[in-house]
Amino acid sequence: MSLEFGFILINIFTAIVSFSTLSHALLHPSSVSHNVSRSRYYMTTNELWFNQTLDHESPNDHRKFRQRYYEFMDYFRSPDGPMFMIICGEGPCSGIANDYINVLAKKFQAGVVSLEHRYYGKSSPFNSLATENLKYLSSKQALYDLASFRQYYQESLNKKLNISSGGSDNPWFFFGISYSGALSAWFRLKFPHLTCGSLASSAVVRAIYEFSEFDQQIGESAGQECKLALQETNKLLELGLKVKNKAVKSLFNATELDVDADFLYLTADAAVMAFQYGNPDKLCVPLVEAKKNGSDLMETYSTYVREYCMRIWGLRVRTYNRKHLRNTVVTADSAYRLWWFQACTELGYFQVAPKYDSVRSHQINTTFHLDLCKSLFGKDVYPKVDATNLYYGGDRLAATKIIFTNGSEDPWRHASKQNSTHEMPSYIIKCRNCGHGTDIRGCPQSPMVIEGKSNNCSLPDYVNKVRQQMVQHIDLWLSECRKSIRSSI
């Protein structure tokens, strides 16, 4: 998907989960209310505020903006318990989600805080999102935000605990999924003195200009029968657009999309959702059956898009509409424009169709993405992915005490660090419905699994084994941190 690229993979799953989710389409907040009360989704939704520096790189710019955050201290072991920082990513942060972090916080008797990413949600520095006002939206500024907030919160905690100025810090551990997983890894890289370690779940640490591996993984995860059905469906869509354009788009409630490639991007993203979020059967079972029976593949696929992607996940057609994405007024949908800015300036993740055996349309190519970027932000915008990888190290970052986890069926894993080392262990969670952030969110995501339960994963024992290894690393690194803190007193 886009991130949300089909990168905002985001979502308001991000809003729901307080993390990010890379796919183009942000999900609508109403999509999280199915059969579960709001209170069960979150550990807390009580908003708090921090006055954040706008430009951390300028010694002369002293402007501030209000940044939203949350805290949950019910499990905290006073005064020396650990603090868990949950990083919110490319979407609004509506609270601290009740996923597997809740289980970890209880186990380690940790306090939990979560900081909303600058510009997203209610943390916008400006009333207008015109291109000139977005120059402070970057991963580098976001990392400084985390460092400043971490220092502020530690000082505030010391005051609450009546610890004198200059007293020792609590041990901190950082967590993130997807783009925020990358931020978690990059924070440990750039500020190793401020965290004992990081969990980088489905962390897209490698900026990629032409991300053809993304579509290749979709074909692999789909399996041969489903891939062939998807490819045939895509050909029918392309042909249908030529002969009965409005009729085809109306099947998907997408007649507002004047640019055919934007429509084909939406239909490509819709397929991604099944695999990225661990629900392959929602797509493949009806599509393969329709192909075998000689039924209308386009109608079958449009039913999947309308009933699953739109009704359940809240996929919005207008977020693929360039007119909507050019809107500079701050609204609940602004995250789509904001994420595209990050993709178009520093991260890329252009999900282009591979030259051969592509699942998505070949109209989704590099030119499509560059034209979209220029259409939204002006002719001078270009993704400086080489500079991003030079600054952070890509998937060869030189850091320590970072846990990388990826779901075997998640197309984003190809932008993560998949080789394991002693200082940076990496685990691939292998199961048929192990997708984006499975270690934290569980599977399948529909759209959220309370406490990230693994019982509905096709191989729950494998998921639980990786979680046990995560716990061991967190326990070890927190212990080493405490020893370092005591020796410095």
Side-chain angles (χ1 to χ4, degrees):
M1 300 179 87
S2 88
L3 211 209
E4 107 144 124
F5 318 156
F7 199 121
I8 279 181
L9 185 162
I10 181 184
N11 356 171
I12 281 180
F13 189 81
T14 299
I16 305 172
V17 192
S18 304
F19 288 116
S20 74
T21 288
L22 299 175
S23 136
H24 170 74
L26 281 170
L27 301 182
H28 194 282
S30 65
S31 68
V32 306
S33 61
H34 299 287
N35 302 320
V36 183
S37 67
R38 176 179 172 86
S39 61
R40 287 191 64 202
Y41 275 119
Y42 299 97
M43 296 154 69
T44 181
T45 58
N46 184 41
E47 297 176 344
L48 299 169
W49 300 92
F50 168 61
N51 287 325
Q52 183 63 267
T53 298
L54 176 62
D55 185 3
H56 295 280
E57 298 185 303
S58 172
N60 302 317
D61 189 342
H62 303 296
R63 287 176 293 174
K64 302 278 186 177
F65 69 96
R66 276 162 50 89
Q67 194 166 22
R68 181 167 59 167
Y69 75 96
Y70 303 88
E71 68 174 0
F72 181 80
M73 301 296 284
D74 288 18
Y75 306 144
F76 180 66
R77 184 188 68 248
S78 181
D80 61 348
M83 288 300 306
F84 286 176
M85 167 69 86
I86 299 178
I87 305 173
C88 286
E90 68 286 12
C93 193
S94 299
I96 298 179
N98 182 14
D99 52 23
Y100 192 63
I101 299 295
N102 185 7
V103 178
L104 292 174
K106 188 180 298 184
K107 177 178 179 59
F108 287 99
Q109 297 179 286
V112 184
V113 291
S114 186
L115 183 69
E116 187 168 60
H117 196 293
R118 58 169 49 208
Y119 283 84
Y120 291 93
K122 295 183 179 181
S123 299
S124 180
F126 301 100
N127 293 325
S128 167
L129 300 180
T131 302
E132 60 268 22
N133 286 341
L134 300 180
K135 63 181 178 179
Y136 307 107
L137 174 56
S138 69
S139 60
K140 186 183 295 186
Q141 294 280 5
L143 292 177
Y144 280 119
D145 286 348
L146 290 165
S148 296
F149 173 78
R150 187 261 191 226
Q151 294 299 82
Y152 156 80
Y153 192 87
Q154 182 65 65
E155 292 173 3
S156 299
L157 185 61
N158 286 348
K159 290 180 181 178
K160 291 178 183 178
L161 300 175
N162 292 320
I163 296 175
S164 61
S165 177
S168 61
D169 286 0
N170 294 75
W172 285 70
F173 208 95
F174 278 54
F175 297 82
I177 299 175
S178 195
Y179 165 59
S180 65
L183 291 176
S184 181
W186 294 337
F187 189 85
R188 173 64 190 174
L189 171 71
K190 296 299 183 180
F191 298 95
H193 59 296
L194 296 182
T195 180
C196 303
S198 290
L199 173 68
S201 174
S202 299
V204 289
V205 292
R206 181 166 67 98
I208 302 174
Y209 183 52
E210 296 174 312
F211 196 7
S212 59
E213 300 101 319
F214 189 94
D215 187 81
Q216 291 167 348
Q217 181 63 56
I218 296 303
E220 181 180 326
S221 296
Q224 190 65 16
E225 280 190 314
C226 188
K227 182 176 77 170
L228 290 173
L230 280 168
Q231 290 172 327
E232 185 173 340
T233 302
N234 191 62
K235 291 177 182 177
L236 291 171
L237 286 171
E238 291 180 314
L239 177 62
L241 289 174
K242 293 178 181 178
V243 298
K244 47 181 181 179
N245 192 286
K246 288 294 184 181
V248 170
K249 291 176 181 176
S250 66
L251 283 173
F252 297 82
N253 299 329
T255 55
E256 69 179 81
L257 299 181
D258 297 327
V259 179
D260 289 351
D262 291 344
F263 170 76
L264 292 170
Y265 195 40
L266 179 151
T267 58
D269 260 5
V272 171
M273 294 179 75
F275 306 101
Q276 182 167 308
Y277 299 121
N279 285 287
D281 291 345
K282 295 286 186 181
L283 168 63
C284 288
V285 169
L287 202 63
V288 170
E289 183 177 349
K291 181 173 171 56
K292 288 180 177 179
N293 296 339
S295 302
D296 190 326
L297 284 174
M298 199 185 307
E299 177 63 41
T300 301
Y301 189 63
S302 67
T303 299
Y304 156 79
V305 174
R306 293 193 311 270
E307 296 301 316
Y308 177 70
C309 299
M310 294 180 177
R311 187 176 68 84
I312 300 298
W313 277 95
L315 181 67
R316 294 177 176 182
V317 173
R318 68 184 179 191
T319 63
Y320 294 82
N321 188 327
R322 299 182 187 207
K323 295 178 183 177
H324 175 77
L325 291 170
R326 282 194 287 266
N327 182 18
T328 59
V329 177
V330 178
T331 70
D333 285 343
S334 294
Y336 301 93
R337 174 175 173 81
L338 295 170
W339 177 252
W340 271 116
F341 181 80
Q342 291 193 257
C344 291
T345 54
E346 65 170 337
L347 299 171
Y349 303 115
F350 291 168
Q351 295 160 24
V352 300
K355 187 175 182 179
Y356 302 107
D357 205 27
S358 173
V359 175
R360 65 184 56 213
S361 170
H362 279 95
Q363 293 184 45
I364 310 304
N365 53 27
T366 306
T367 300
F368 164 81
H369 287 89
L370 292 177
D371 286 348
L372 178 61
C373 289
K374 292 176 181 178
S375 173
L376 301 185
F377 307 110
K379 61 182 178 63
D380 296 328
V381 169
Y382 188 83
K384 300 176 182 177
V385 297
D386 290 340
T388 300
N389 288 328
L390 182 64
Y391 184 71
Y392 294 120
D395 56 2
R396 295 183 293 176
L397 71 172
T400 63
K401 297 183 178 179
I402 303 172
I403 308 164
F404 287 90
T405 57
N406 287 282
S408 59
E409 307 311 302
D410 181 16
W412 290 107
R413 71 183 177 91
H414 299 286
S416 187
K417 183 180 184 298
Q418 299 187 81
N419 63 307
S420 188
T421 63
H422 176 70
E423 290 287 3
M424 288 187 289
S426 179
Y427 302 102
I428 303 295
I429 308 173
K430 298 178 181 178
C431 74
R432 186 170 177 274
N433 59 349
C434 285
H436 209 58
T438 290
D439 55 326
I440 299 300
R441 296 174 177 166
C443 53
Q445 298 169 29
S446 55
M448 180 174 171
V449 180
I450 300 301
E451 294 190 348
K453 291 187 181 297
S454 61
N455 53 302
N456 288 323
C457 298
S458 64
L459 294 174
D461 289 346
Y462 205 105
V463 178
N464 294 335
K465 181 180 179 181
V466 171
R467 286 178 168 178
Q468 290 171 3
Q469 291 167 320
M470 287 162 47
V471 168
Q472 291 173 4
H473 290 299
I474 295 171
D475 189 29
L476 174 62
W477 296 342
L478 286 176
S479 297
E480 291 177 347
C481 225
R482 290 190 183 95
K483 291 179 182 177
S484 177
I485 292 172
R486 284 196 295 266
S487 64
S488 65
I489 297 176

